[in-house]
Amino acid sequence: MAVVVSDFQIVRPQFESTHLATLEWIVKAHTQAEEQYCLQKNLPFNKTEFSEELKKELFRVGCKPGDIQKRGHELPDFLHENWDQMQVYQLNCYPQGVGLRVRQELHRKYTDSVFDKFYPTEALQPDDLIHVSCTGYTAPSGAQKLVSKRNWGTTTYVTHAYHMGCYASIPACRMAEGFLQKEKKRIDIVHTELCAFHFNPLLHSREQLVAQSLFADGYIKYSLTRKKEPHNKSALKILAIYEEIIPDSLDAMQWFIADWGFQLVLSKEIPAFIAKNVKNYLLQLCVRAGCDLQEMLDEALFAIHPGGPKILDYIQKIFQLRDEQLFFSREILKQYGNISSATLPYMWEAICADPAVAEKTKVISLAFGPGLTIAGMLGEKEV
């Protein structure tokens, strides 16, 4: 049974900052947090020296302004340095930022609001609604509250696809494919990612600086149906979905809940794991789609989740891809930053909306996450 992905709708966060301005804010936040921590512990602190060293390290290891131009954020915190007036980063009192409970209360507020924007009172009712997020959870969820408010509770099922990280759009589509086998007509998937809620300015390690230089907030909604609806100008037909957990890689990437928020842990071994496994993985994906691997490498577009620009460089080198094959991967990173699970769907929306991408163009989507999981989808554009 053919399934298509279409009817994309994006809601942008209420604020947007240049990447350079955000990097400068991160330096000031780390400096403020370390100063307050040292005061609390009665430790010596050289503010100028710390700030200069932190900035040097951030601009050395972090994502550069040439790779990301701007990032969206719901919190107004990133627009000023009045630490006592922050919603999350009240660093004069809490050098790590406020605790997880406050962050989750704010997440609930913004998530509930975006569901109302995606589904005004006249909105069409889906048969199933899948809510995807790795940045915050409440019960009942924003999806459940929406279904209750719209009186859809006896006919719309809600499923939560949580804490899978950046690759979550792929298993969400796999779930939706399964639901469509049960005589359902339309499955909606909604991503709500508020990554900027989970910075910790008191963690100065290289991996934390890399993460803080990448992640941003974003939302997207789309639908899966058995065929392209007449009102949709274009769609992606799913040819195959395949996920693989790399052996002996459990510690390579972790996304766990700390007292202050959600913390990402990255291993230096991730590139080695990817290099060793991604070629055979892609072969298996192509076999499942009935496509020739070399033909895909020569002709397909690649929607690669940009865990960072180096991941894109790495994949390009491994498969000897042309720059134009990775255009959408780099462009979405440049325009929005890394918005976790919402990033691949942003690429799908851009590919479907671009008239320069011809009908029948194959699209290979790849993302990596805890496990270490490689998740991918091979699709074909329909017009």
Side-chain angles (χ1 to χ4, degrees):
M1 180 186 70
V3 170
V4 299
V5 185
S6 62
D7 204 14
F8 297 91
Q9 183 181 348
I10 291 173
V11 171
R12 293 296 298 147
Q14 59 180 327
F15 303 111
E16 196 169 65
S17 297
T18 67
H19 184 51
L20 180 59
T22 304
L23 293 178
E24 297 285 0
W25 185 93
I26 290 171
V27 172
K28 293 171 183 175
H30 277 254
T31 304
Q32 184 71 15
E34 187 67 17
E35 181 178 31
Q36 294 305 311
Y37 175 81
C38 290
L39 283 172
Q40 293 174 10
K41 300 294 184 180
N42 197 28
L43 298 172
F45 180 68
N46 186 319
K47 184 173 184 178
T48 300
E49 180 179 325
F50 178 88
S51 179
E52 290 176 353
E53 289 300 315
L54 192 286
K55 182 174 182 178
K56 184 186 301 182
E57 181 70 357
L58 176 62
F59 279 76
R60 185 179 70 85
V61 304
C63 192
K64 308 299 188 290
D67 295 310
I68 298 177
Q69 292 181 347
K70 52 190 177 181
R71 290 195 273 172
H73 49 95
E74 285 288 11
L75 292 174
D77 294 15
F78 300 97
L79 301 175
H80 63 89
E81 298 157 37
N82 300 317
W83 309 109
D84 292 330
Q85 299 176 23
M86 300 283 181
Q87 291 187 353
V88 168
Y89 300 104
Q90 300 171 20
L91 303 182
N92 286 341
C93 295
Y94 310 101
Q96 293 182 308
V98 298
L100 181 60
R101 188 182 76 172
V102 176
R103 298 187 199 223
Q104 291 300 276
E105 288 174 353
L106 289 167
H107 184 281
R108 173 184 55 77
K109 168 188 171 183
Y110 291 117
T111 298
D112 290 354
S113 174
V114 84
F115 269 102
D116 287 334
K117 293 176 182 177
F118 279 135
Y119 294 95
T121 53
E122 70 276 10
L124 294 176
Q125 175 185 354
D127 294 305
D128 278 82
L129 177 56
I130 300 174
H131 180 206
V132 183
S133 182
C134 71
T135 52
Y137 328 109
T138 55
S141 68
Q144 291 170 310
K145 292 175 185 176
L146 171 83
V147 168
S148 179
K149 286 188 290 187
R150 297 291 181 264
N151 294 315
W152 297 343
T154 59
T155 50
T156 296
Y157 292 2
V158 173
T159 302
H160 300 123
Y162 289 168
H163 221 73
M164 286 180 281
C166 298
Y167 73 94
S169 59
I170 304 298
C173 287
R174 176 165 52 82
M175 293 177 197
E177 274 193 316
F179 297 160
L180 287 170
Q181 299 281 353
K182 300 294 184 181
E183 303 303 319
K184 303 292 183 71
K185 294 182 179 179
R186 186 175 119 238
I187 314 299
D188 282 1
I189 300 176
V190 174
H191 296 251
T192 62
E193 297 293 16
L194 292 163
C195 305
F197 280 49
H198 298 293
F199 293 176
N200 183 340
L202 202 56
L203 296 180
H204 314 308
S205 68
R206 177 184 182 275
E207 68 177 24
Q208 293 302 315
L209 294 179
V210 170
Q212 292 177 28
S213 76
L214 278 168
F215 286 99
D217 299 342
Y219 313 106
I220 190 167
K221 175 179 82 74
Y222 49 99
S223 301
L224 277 78
T225 54
R226 293 193 188 94
K227 61 180 181 179
K228 185 172 74 70
E229 300 296 332
H231 66 277
N232 292 320
K233 294 182 180 179
S234 62
L236 278 181
K237 181 169 69 174
I238 298 175
L239 303 181
I241 288 176
Y242 178 52
E243 297 165 36
E244 179 180 304
I245 296 178
I246 297 173
D248 304 316
S249 65
L250 289 177
D251 295 331
M253 185 184 299
Q254 300 175 58
W255 181 236
F256 64 88
I257 299 175
D259 292 340
W260 54 266
F262 295 175
Q263 183 171 345
L264 180 65
V265 176
L266 300 172
S267 166
K268 295 179 181 179
E269 301 302 316
I270 289 176
F273 280 121
I274 293 174
K276 184 178 179 181
N277 293 275
V278 73
K279 288 184 178 180
N280 185 66
Y281 167 85
L282 189 56
L283 174 62
Q284 296 303 318
L285 179 64
C286 289
V287 167
R288 284 163 170 76
C291 296
D292 178 74
L293 173 59
Q294 190 57 52
E295 184 179 345
M296 294 301 97
L297 294 177
D298 291 340
E299 299 179 5
L301 292 177
F302 278 70
I304 309 299
H305 178 83
K310 290 183 179 179
I311 290 291
L312 302 181
D313 295 341
Y314 207 66
I315 296 295
Q316 183 169 11
K317 182 178 180 180
I318 290 173
F319 293 122
Q320 295 296 296
L321 302 175
R322 302 184 306 279
D323 289 346
E324 58 266 28
Q325 290 178 278
L326 281 167
F327 170 79
F328 291 97
S329 300
R330 297 193 189 280
E331 187 65 17
I332 293 302
L333 177 65
K334 181 182 294 185
Q335 293 299 323
Y336 304 106
N338 182 336
I339 43 180
S340 192
S341 72
T343 314
L344 281 185
Y346 267 58
M347 294 181 201
W348 301 340
E349 188 278 335
I351 289 168
C352 287
D354 191 340
V357 179
E359 187 173 15
K360 302 296 184 182
T361 296
K362 299 295 191 299
V363 179
I364 293 175
S365 303
L366 290 178
F368 309 93
L372 183 68
T373 302
I374 307 177
M377 182 174 81
L378 205 162
E380 180 180 83
K381 183 170 179 178
E382 286 193 350
V383 178

